[in-house]
């Protein structure tokens, strides 16, 4: 049996192709949901839209300080994995759920497969950096999106069990973007069918936790949108909404250049990404999706663990708050030909992963 430990929206999306491929081949696969994301907008709708089975277990850890959250997941996984007795535990990415899944599997002598292994930002102020590095130390299977991650793991003396397989986000994005075009009405509902707009996602602590920084970023984005003449559609993550409301910024920008909306399901988000003139984000997964869908992207960070998106030409980094600089950068990006090559594979990643794991599941 393959036990897939997941707890957040990106993990549900990126694990879904592997879960579907395992089920297609008749292999036993159980989803263990940690409950790190737990609202309907960040959780239930993704199981529905991605046609996934309900989790075999849900630990329901909810929002807690990181250490307490990891301890709660570890406690729950001890009982769950003792019951399931899987041949392999798999997790994707760099969240607290991933680190807890890796440690639990390691301590219970169950092989651990790290999907999307080897990513590094070299920014230890990001909590995700510690999670992905520590998970990689105990992993038995390292599924790297590109040779960049393979080479990075080699520099860390990790060479066994390393496989370059592509990224499952390509599998998911290519298939579900077509489904979204046929089924999502989000652009019509927001009155954007005939309008130019940018899409913004922002939730990183470095951008939203400090009120002064958040105020500067929002002002910069607002001025950029006004100068370029488009709206910014902003599906607001719950922690970002709290930060905006606590700092008095929600009311200020609710009727400005921003279209502030609740978090979206995957199909609606893909439809907005496909229709946007520009994507602004601090999310790693959205950088990848923008690259795959060939929509120019500005990453609102000083670094990225997805440098291939920058090298390919579809993404640039910007951590400043000067609206004229951001406007010039946005104009430059939107004028680029959308002909860059996706560096994350051919959409067959899930098949490669299951081919490798099949004998041990």
């Amino acid at each position: 049996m393959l036990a897939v430990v997941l707890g957040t929206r990106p993990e549900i999306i990126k694990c879904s192709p592997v879960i579907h491929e395992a089920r297609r081949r008749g292999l036993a696969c159980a989803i263990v949901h940690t409950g790190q994301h737990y609202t309907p907008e960040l959780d239930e709708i993704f199981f529905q839209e991605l046609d996934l089975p309900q989790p075999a277990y849900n630990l329901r850890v909810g929002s807690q300080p990181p250490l307490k959250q990891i301890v709660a997941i570890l406690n729950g996984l001890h009982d769950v994995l003792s019951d399931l007795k899987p041949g392999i535990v798999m997790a994707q990415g760099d969240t607290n759920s991933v680190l807890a899944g890796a440690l639990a599997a390691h301590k219970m002598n169950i092989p651990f497969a790290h999907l999307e292994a080897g990513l590094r930002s070299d920014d230890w102020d990001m909590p995700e950096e510690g999670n992905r590095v520590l998970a990689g130390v105990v992993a038995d299977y390292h599924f790297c999106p590109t040779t960049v991650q393979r080479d990075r793991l080699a520099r860390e003396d990790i060479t066994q069990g390393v496989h370059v397989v592509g990224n499952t986000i390509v599998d998911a994005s290519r298939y579900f973007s077509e489904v979204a075009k046929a089924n999502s009405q989000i652009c019509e509902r927001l009155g954007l069918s005939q309008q130019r707009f940018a899409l913004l996602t922002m939730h990183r602590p470095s951008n939203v936790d400090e009120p002064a920084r958040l105020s500067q970023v929002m002002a910069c984005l607002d001025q950029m949108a006004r100068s370029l003449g488009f709206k910014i559609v902003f599906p607001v993550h719950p922690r970002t909404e709290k930060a905006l409301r606590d700092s008095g910024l929600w009311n200020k920008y609710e009727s400005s250049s921003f279209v502030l909306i609740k978090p979206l399901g995957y199909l609606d988000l893909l439809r907005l990404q496909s229709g946007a003139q520009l994507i602004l984000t601090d999310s790693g997964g959205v950088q990848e999706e923008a690259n795959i869908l060939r929509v120019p992207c500005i990453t609102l960070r000083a670094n990225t663990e997805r440098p291939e998106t920058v090298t390919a030409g579809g993404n640039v980094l910007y951590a400043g708050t000067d609206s004229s600089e951001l406007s010039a950068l946005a104009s430059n990006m939107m004028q680029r030909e959308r002909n860059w090559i996706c560096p994350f594979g051919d959409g067959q990643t899930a098949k490669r992963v299951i081919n490798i794991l099949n004998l041990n599941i």
Side-chain angles (χ1 to χ4, degrees), residues 181-200:
K181 288 178 185 177
N183 294 283
S184 171
Q185 298 297 311
I186 186 64
C187 291
E188 290 75 12
R189 292 202 306 271
L190 296 178
L192 298 170
S193 298
Q194 306 301 321
Q195 287 193 32
R196 284 161 37 91
F197 67 91
L199 176 68
L200 168 67

Side-chain angles (χ1 to χ4, degrees), residues 236 241 244-245 247-255 260-261:
V236 187
E241 179 176 347
L244 288 170
R245 292 189 183 279
S247 58
L249 294 172
W250 183 274
N251 292 337
K252 178 178 181 179
Y253 290 111
E254 192 170 19
S255 300
L260 302 178
I261 59 177

Side-chain angles (χ1 to χ4, degrees), residues 64-72 96 127:
Q64 300 186 53
L67 180 57
K68 288 188 174 183
Q69 191 174 67
I70 291 169
V71 169
N96 291 339

Side-chain angles (χ1 to χ4, degrees), residues 10-30:
E11 292 162 8
I12 298 170
I13 293 168
K14 291 187 176 183
C15 288
S16 65
V18 177
I19 294 167
H20 281 303
E21 183 63 18
R23 298 181 75 206
R24 188 183 70 80
R25 300 194 196 186
L27 302 174
C29 181

